[in-house]
Amino acid sequence: MVKLAPSILAANFARLEDHASEAVSAGAEWLHIDVMDGHFVPNISIGPLIVDALRPLKEETGILLDVHLMIEKPERYIADFVKAGADIITVHVETCPHLHRTISLIKELGAKAGVTLNPSTSLDALEEVLADADLVLIMSVNPGFGGQKYIPASTAKIHRLRQMLDAIASKAFLEVDGGVYAGNAAEIVHAGADVLVAGSAIFGGTKSVAENVSALRAASG
């Protein structure tokens, strides 16, 4: 079954615990935590303290904390995020000149290692580390802000990545992040995704978080 990973970037931070709990209670399996540094992407978001604040919810429910590092030199902070409670740490190929070493560090510290790339970066950049990844994330918007529209060309890219993973019998998750909502979830899953990140589609709009999770679940199959 497809896993849902609500992005807390779109949650109301004044009631983050409530919003996150509502998503988990509605059936979301992961929480996606976007970390931005104002350098690699044009925005600044959160750090290990927020991951640590979500740890009690993780311990109570078994939710996975899926941390996406959109930052320069991510290796400087990997240990801090693992200590805070991250289960998965995803880094960008564009920020890691020694990507294999960074993946190895994440695993050595006890987390699962994810790799991702910007929409304009070719999948070829992943080829040499694909067998080492526990998760591969396709960015279907340019990272840095929530609420953006899905880039249509991402669907073909997801399909190509699925073929690459299947060709090496990889068990890595194929995650998609950016502009995901009930209206395109089926297309994305059909292309090969098995984890959907959604922010505005879960925490935005006039419906409750639970209703939004249910709608996305129904659309994704």
Side-chain angles (χ1 to χ4, degrees):
M1 184 174 69
V2 175
K3 298 185 183 300
L4 302 184
S7 172
I8 66 165
L9 185 66
N12 181 344
F13 271 64
R15 53 186 299 263
L16 177 59
E17 182 179 3
D18 291 340
H19 255 179
S21 295
E22 288 169 26
V24 175
S25 296
E29 294 89 353
W30 299 7
L31 288 176
H32 190 80
I33 302 165
D34 289 307
V35 180
M36 307 178 190
D37 63 359
H39 294 282
F40 177 59
V41 294
N43 199 2
I44 298 174
S45 61
I46 56 181
L49 286 176
I50 294 295
V51 178
D52 188 57
L54 293 169
R55 186 196 288 267
L57 181 61
K58 165 188 167 177
E59 293 173 348
E60 177 185 348
T61 66
I63 193 83
L64 289 185
L65 300 182
D66 173 29
V67 176
H68 177 193
L69 299 183
M70 291 175 273
I71 63 177
E72 294 180 356
K73 299 181 180 179
E75 63 277 0
R76 296 176 297 173
Y77 302 103
I78 288 169
D80 293 332
F81 280 101
V82 173
K83 183 178 179 181
D87 297 291
I88 305 168
I89 295 182
T90 297
V91 296
H92 275 257
V93 299
E94 298 91 353
T95 67
C96 295
H98 306 290
L99 184 56
H100 182 271
R101 182 184 299 166
T102 303
I103 291 171
S104 297
L105 174 62
I106 294 169
K107 292 184 174 186
E108 288 166 8
L109 290 171
K112 292 188 179 299
V115 291
T116 186
L117 34 72
N118 287 339
S120 63
T121 302
S122 171
L123 290 173
D124 292 344
L126 296 175
E127 187 174 1
E128 301 302 330
V129 298
L130 205 58
D132 301 300
D134 299 306
L135 176 147
V136 185
L137 169 59
I138 291 290
M139 289 303 302
S140 45
V141 299
N142 289 291
F145 297 97
Q148 298 183 66
K149 291 185 178 180
Y150 180 83
I151 298 173
S154 303
T155 303
K157 194 173 189 180
I158 296 163
H159 180 65
R160 294 197 305 274
L161 176 57
R162 171 50 63 196
Q163 290 178 318
M164 291 170 66
L165 290 169
D166 289 349
I168 61 170
S170 172
K171 300 299 183 183
F173 292 106
L174 198 169
E175 185 175 49
V176 178
D177 181 4
V180 176
Y181 73 112
N184 61 13
E187 169 191 339
I188 293 168
V189 171
H190 181 72
D194 46 31
V195 183
L196 301 181
V197 177
S200 300
I202 297 295
F203 296 114
T206 58
K207 295 183 179 180
S208 70
V209 171
E211 288 174 311
N212 290 335
V213 170
S214 295
L216 187 58
R217 172 73 71 200
S220 61

